[in-house]
């Protein structure tokens, strides 16, 4: 087995394979089944429409494969080996060396664990950053608290990560101590930023606990009040003479006991103004109006996943309820609480604080508009729209209503282009300029079918796609004649060339759109035709005209005549036979009067013509013999002539045997044979010389007297 490649240096990167045309020639005595693979330090593999390739004896098969590499293959140049392995005998292997030029594919992953921590004045967690790309990264680390209630410290702020390397960063969160209250959930973002990679950010939830939970304090106070009330009641019941603790009750007054002040339960619901969906994690702070212009904090809670909240133990009077959440404008509601009742506060509607994002998106192919979807971490709201593309193939615009502060993901799409996404963060009330983006045109795919002149599928046709300095190869299916070529640079005009042994090469120009799939009409390949030409010469190199030339091969028989004079096809003696099917082996037979027939064999290859066929004819001659008699007696010494009207040949009769003569190499045709004596007497005869005959002509001269 021998391996050939259309090129041995290929450019690729993780996620973007490269196509390679592999030529397999089986020089073994039997057919074989072979699989293809690639060896490279790191992860590499091949994909093909023909996982197993069958190659007959002395046959050459061309198949197309895609070479892939994983992220663990570092950017740069690598030596690789392409292997063709026999299915029946794994030790039967043919190899070919490759040079892979692997482009950079930077990426990284950030994981924070644990993602939920708790503490009174702080807590700690770990952020793990992994370089999942194939090129080194210079990574910067940072944290942020959108609410500004905590401080964070990182064990390192930057590091260099080699491909596949990971780094743990310790995150320490601190916050002011809270004496009384309920746990407050605070979100702290941990970010990793590197050149060429979209920034990544993960959030850690810090449950900020008070020293004493408000519910515990309320329970303790309520317990003390209950004890005092019980003791007082017992004392009062034991005083039958209206005395209270040794004192008499003045007239007009009634002895009583101190009662626990009744409280109310207050609840409600919070929704988003834009989407009208429930808002979770909204902090609800409750303040009591003291009547002197000041307020006292009495409770704090937060909404659940359904946006609902509840506070208990609220005494009667006027209270202020303040609702706050990062990215939303705070809302305050005043409510008069009546003791011993359930108070249902009207649904609170919170409007998100928004900013805008300025974007510029370049496109590779002409499109009318670019579509976008913008999502925010922690929100189900999606901002969607489109931006018109200018004449310079750039879409410019502003996306309004972006929740701020917040972490966002922008996804952009356009017909015929590869989707792109990027992440960014915004601060409150500040417009953000998104770094310029570029949408790459998606490659095109070309499909079709090849047939012969009768409409039957034609397999084994080599298809070559040329365009934009690139070359893609494929071959038609042996059974259906179908073919496909992908990963074609688009948009643009490409040239598709179809070649097959024994058929005329066909070329097509095709316009392809970015990301499109074009189907060509059936490509018909006509059987190739060749030309057989040459000259007919005699033994002296002189042209022989009017010779009959017959070309034979298989079922073909074509007839021509050599020219007697010079023509446009060549000098005298030339012949030309066109429209001969190729490839093929033929015989050229030539015959002419007076010459021996001759035959030569020739081979024609694809679309070719045979070199000039030279056919040399030997003259066909006959020997003429006889006896010359004078008055009935064989007589020697007499001149015998043979004349065909053009050339006269002479010979002298022999003395022994008396009167015998012989003339060799007499050409076919009508000749006059004669003899003359010295005294002027003569005899002659007219004979027709035919090839293949034995001609005997006796000549007799008699005297006048006789």
């Amino acid at each position: 087995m021998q391996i050939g490649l259309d090129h041995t240096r290929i450019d690729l990167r993780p996620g973007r394979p490269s196509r390679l045309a592999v030529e397999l020639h089986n020089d073994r005595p039997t057919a074989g089944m072979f699989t293809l693979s690639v060896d490279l330090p790191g992860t590499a593999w091949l994909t093909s429409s023909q996982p197993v390739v069958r190659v007959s004896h002395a046959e050459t098969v061309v198949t197309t494969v895609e070479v892939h590499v994983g992220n663990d293959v570092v950017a740069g140049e690598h030596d690789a080996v392409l292997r063709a392995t026999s299915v029946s005998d794994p030790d039967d292997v043919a190899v070919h060396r490759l040079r892979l030029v692997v482009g950079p594919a930077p990426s990284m992953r950030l994981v924070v664990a644990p993602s939920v921590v708790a503490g009174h004045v702080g807590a700690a967690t770990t952020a793990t950053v992994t370089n999942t790309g194939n090129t080194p990264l210079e990574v910067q680390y940072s944290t942020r608290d959108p609410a500004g209630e905590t401080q964070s410290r990182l064990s390192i702020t930057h590091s260099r990560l080699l491909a596949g390397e990971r780094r743990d960063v310790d995150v320490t969160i601190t916050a002011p101590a809270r004496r009384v209250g309920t746990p407050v959930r605070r979100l702290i973002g941990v970010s990793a930023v590197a050149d060429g990679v979209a920034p990544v950010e993960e959030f850690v939830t810090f449950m900020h606990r008070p020293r004493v939970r408000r519910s515990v304090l309320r329970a303790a106070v309520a317990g003390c009040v209950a004890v005092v009330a019980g003791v007082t009641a017992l004392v009062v019941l034991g005083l039958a003479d209206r005395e209270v603790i040794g004192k008499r009750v003045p007239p007009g007054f009634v002895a009583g006991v101190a009662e626990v002040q009744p409280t109310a339960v207050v609840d409600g619901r919070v929704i988003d103004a834009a989407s009208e969906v429930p808002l979770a994690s909204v902090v609800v702070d409750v303040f009591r109006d003291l009547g002197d212009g000041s307020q006292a904090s009495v409770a704090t809670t937060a909404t659940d996943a359904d946006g609902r909240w509840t506070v208990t133990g609220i005494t009667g009077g006027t209270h202020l309820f303040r609702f706050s959440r990062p990215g939303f404008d705070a809302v305050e509601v005043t409510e008069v609480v009546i003791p011993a009742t359930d108070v249902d506060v009207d649904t609170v509607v919170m409007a998100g604080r928004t900013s805008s994002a300025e974007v510029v998106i370049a496109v590779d192919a002409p499109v009318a508009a670019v579509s976008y979807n913008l999502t925010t971490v922690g929100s189900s709201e999606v901002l969607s729209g489109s931006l018109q593309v200018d004449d310079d193939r750039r879409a410019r615009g502003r996306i309004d209503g972006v929740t701020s502060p917040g972490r966002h993901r922008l996804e952009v799409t356009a017909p015929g282009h590869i989707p792109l996404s990027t992440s960014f963060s915004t601060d409150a009330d500040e417009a953000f300029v998104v770094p310029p983006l570029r949408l790459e045109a998606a490659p095109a795919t070309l499909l079709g079918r090849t047939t012969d002149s009768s409409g039957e599928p034609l397999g084994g046709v080599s298809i070559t796609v040329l365009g934009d300095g690139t070359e893609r190869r494929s071959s038609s299916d042996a059974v259906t004649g179908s073919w496909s070529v992908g990963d074609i640079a688009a948009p643009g005009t490409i040239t598709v060339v179809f070649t097959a042994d024994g058929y005329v090469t066909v070329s097509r120009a095709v316009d392809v759109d970015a990301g499109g799939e074009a189907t060509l009409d059936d490509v018909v390949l006509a059987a190739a035709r060749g030309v057989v030409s040459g000259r007919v010469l005699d033994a002296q190199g002189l042209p022989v005209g009017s010779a009959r030339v017959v070309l034979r091969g298989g079922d073909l028989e074509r007839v021509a005549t050599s020219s007697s004079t010079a023509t446009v096809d060549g000098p005298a003696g030339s012949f030309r036979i066109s429209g001969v099917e190729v490839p093929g082996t033929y015989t050229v037979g030539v015959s002419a009067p007076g010459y021996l027939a001759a035959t030569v064999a020739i081979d024609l290859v694809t679309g070719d013509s045979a070199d000039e066929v030279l056919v040399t004819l030997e003259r066909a001659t006959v020997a003429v013999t006889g006896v010359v008699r004078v008055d009935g007696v064989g007589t020697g010494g007499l001149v015998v002539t043979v004349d065909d009207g053009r050339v006269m040949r002479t010979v002298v009769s022999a003395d022994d045997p008396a009167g015998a003569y012989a003339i060799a190499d007499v050409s076919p045709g009508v000749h006059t044979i004669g003899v003359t004596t010295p005294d002027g007497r003569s005899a002659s005869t007219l004979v027709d010389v035919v090839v293949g005959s034995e001609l005997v002509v006796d000549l007799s001269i008699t005297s006048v007297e006789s």
Side-chain angles (χ1 to χ4, degrees), residues 359-680:
V359 295
V360 176
I361 306 167
V363 295
D364 281 353
V367 292
V370 172
S371 300
Y372 66 83
N373 287 326
L374 189 145
T375 57
T376 302
V377 175
S379 173
S380 59
E381 182 180 4
V382 179
L383 298 179
S384 301
S386 61
L387 302 174
Q388 297 300 309
V389 177
D390 300 334
D391 294 338
D392 61 353
R393 291 190 181 178
R394 281 176 171 77
R396 300 176 175 85
R398 183 178 69 186
I399 303 175
D400 294 319
V402 180
T403 301
S404 298
R407 181 71 177 168
H408 314 283
R409 184 173 185 83
L410 177 64
E411 297 178 350
V412 291
T413 59
H417 289 75
I418 301 173
L420 178 67
S421 64
T422 186
S423 298
F424 62 93
S425 299
T426 56
D427 296 325
D429 305 323
E430 291 185 5
F432 180 81
V433 178
V434 179
L437 303 174
R438 175 175 171 267
L439 283 173
E440 294 184 3
T445 300
L446 201 59
L447 309 172
R449 192 173 77 113
T450 52
T451 70
D452 60 18
S453 300
S454 67
E456 291 297 317
L458 184 60
V461 178
S462 176
I463 296 100
T464 304
V465 176
L466 306 172
D468 194 25
T470 61
E471 181 176 308
R472 295 286 183 271
R473 292 175 178 267
S474 184
S475 59
S476 61
D477 183 80
V479 177
T480 64
S482 59
W483 57 270
S484 67
V485 180
D487 201 22
I488 301 172
T493 300
I494 60 173
T495 301
V496 189
V497 181
F498 302 84
T499 57
D501 290 343
Y503 293 86
V504 178
T505 297
V506 176
S507 180
R508 294 274 185 90
V510 182
D511 293 327
V512 292
D513 297 325
E517 185 176 277
T519 301
L520 288 184
D521 294 336
D522 285 356
V523 176
V524 180
L525 276 71
R529 293 290 188 268
V531 175
V532 177
S533 61
R535 295 185 71 195
V536 182
L537 305 176
D538 63 14
Q540 286 72 42
L542 299 176
V544 177
S546 301
R548 187 172 186 267
V549 182
V550 180
L551 179 72
R552 292 185 177 89
D555 296 332
L556 175 71
E557 181 175 313
R558 302 285 296 279
V559 179
T561 302
S562 63
S563 61
S564 299
T565 59
T567 66
V568 293
D569 290 333
S574 298
F575 66 90
R576 179 183 176 88
I577 301 174
S578 60
V580 181
E581 294 184 1
V582 293
T585 299
Y586 298 90
T587 60
V588 178
V590 180
S591 61
Y595 295 90
L596 296 175
T599 301
V600 296
I602 59 172
D603 290 319
L604 288 184
V605 295
T606 303
D608 201 356
S609 60
D611 294 333
E612 184 173 85
V613 181
L614 296 179
V615 182
T616 301
L617 298 181
E618 298 288 342
R619 283 191 173 273
T621 59
V622 175
V624 178
T625 61
V627 177
V628 177
R629 293 181 176 85
V630 177
D631 296 329
V633 178
T635 305
L638 298 180
V639 177
V640 180
T641 62
V642 178
D643 187 359
D644 62 0
R646 295 176 301 170
V647 178
M648 177 184 289
R649 298 175 60 191
T650 62
V651 67
V652 177
S653 61
D655 293 329
D656 184 17
Y661 74 92
I663 302 176
D665 299 327
V666 178
S667 61
V670 177
H671 297 263
T672 300
I673 301 176
V675 63
T676 303
T677 63
D679 57 3

